[in-house]
Amino acid sequence: MTKPYPTTAPGEALLQQIVENESRFDELYDLLYDRVYAYVYRRTYDIQASQDIVANTFFKLMTQQAKFRWQGAPQFYAWIFRVAMNEVSLYYRRGKKYQLVEDWLDVEVSDEPSTTDRMISEEQSRAIHRAVEDLPDKLSRVVELYYFAELSHGEIAVALGITETAS
């Protein structure tokens, strides 16, 4: 099964170098922002909430980066998207009254839709969102992580604690 749009993931060696060097967090942010944002936006369909959730996700990644031990790209992506999934869950548990942990990023984020958002009309996007919501929770998480976060089935398996075959 091919992904609907190309992945922009860096090679594993480069990714490992960036992850293991805390001073290169800005590169990590630049490399992964679009993937994390696409996943979060598909879960919330709210631009402002998505930006806040992604900011908190990267804040938590930044504060925990020194504790992360490299075991390969699948475990790394599982870690990132586990943090993002938890932040989205927190957003819904708080009744969509989500706040930034702190204003830690001095980055301008455009409200312009991404390339993917322009490719799919708003109506199609809502229909897909409703269809995914109708799936059982475990299955919807697999679909969201595969199509919206662009994780491989191996990475999804690690993130969700299931077998690659189940993914």
Side-chain angles (χ1 to χ4, degrees):
M1 183 185 264
T2 60
K3 295 184 181 181
Y5 43 92
T7 181
T8 58
E12 187 157 347
L14 173 62
L15 185 60
Q16 180 178 0
Q17 291 171 7
I18 293 170
V19 170
E20 291 179 341
N21 186 342
E22 291 177 56
S23 66
R24 295 179 72 180
F25 187 81
D26 58 332
E27 292 177 63
L28 183 65
Y29 178 88
D30 290 341
L31 287 169
L32 299 174
Y33 180 87
D34 289 340
R35 290 178 76 183
V36 174
Y37 181 83
Y39 169 74
V40 171
Y41 181 75
R42 293 303 187 296
R43 298 290 315 276
T44 66
Y45 281 92
D46 182 316
I47 291 170
Q48 185 61 50
S50 296
Q51 291 170 347
D52 291 349
I53 291 168
V54 172
N56 279 351
T57 297
F58 278 100
F59 177 76
K60 289 183 178 181
L61 295 173
M62 182 178 66
T63 59
Q64 299 297 314
Q65 186 177 3
K67 295 178 183 177
F68 182 80
R69 297 293 169 245
W70 183 261
Q71 297 174 352
Q75 288 79 9
F76 177 70
Y77 288 121
W79 175 57
I80 289 173
F81 285 98
R82 203 172 303 123
V83 172
M85 282 188 285
N86 290 341
E87 289 298 306
V88 170
S89 294
L90 183 60
Y91 166 75
Y92 283 109
R93 277 196 311 269
R94 290 186 177 167
K96 299 183 182 180
K97 295 176 183 166
Y98 191 81
Q99 295 179 353
L100 284 170
V101 173
E102 61 181 78
D103 192 14
W104 65 279
L105 285 178
D106 186 29
V107 175
E108 289 186 29
V109 179
S110 170
D111 286 348
E112 291 294 314
S114 70
T115 304
T116 305
D117 293 332
R118 286 190 298 270
M119 289 172 34
I120 301 174
S121 74
E122 191 63 34
E123 189 170 324
Q124 287 174 324
S125 187
R126 285 191 185 123
I128 292 168
H129 184 66
R130 284 190 303 272
V132 171
E133 282 181 337
D134 290 342
L135 295 171
D137 194 41
K138 285 184 180 181
L139 183 55
S140 69
R141 294 226 190 269
V142 171
V143 170
E144 290 163 347
L145 289 171
Y146 184 79
Y147 285 103
F148 305 138
E150 300 179 340
L151 296 183
S152 70
H153 287 291
E155 293 163 342
I156 293 168
V158 173
L160 299 179
I162 60 176
T163 66
E164 188 170 350
T165 305
S167 172

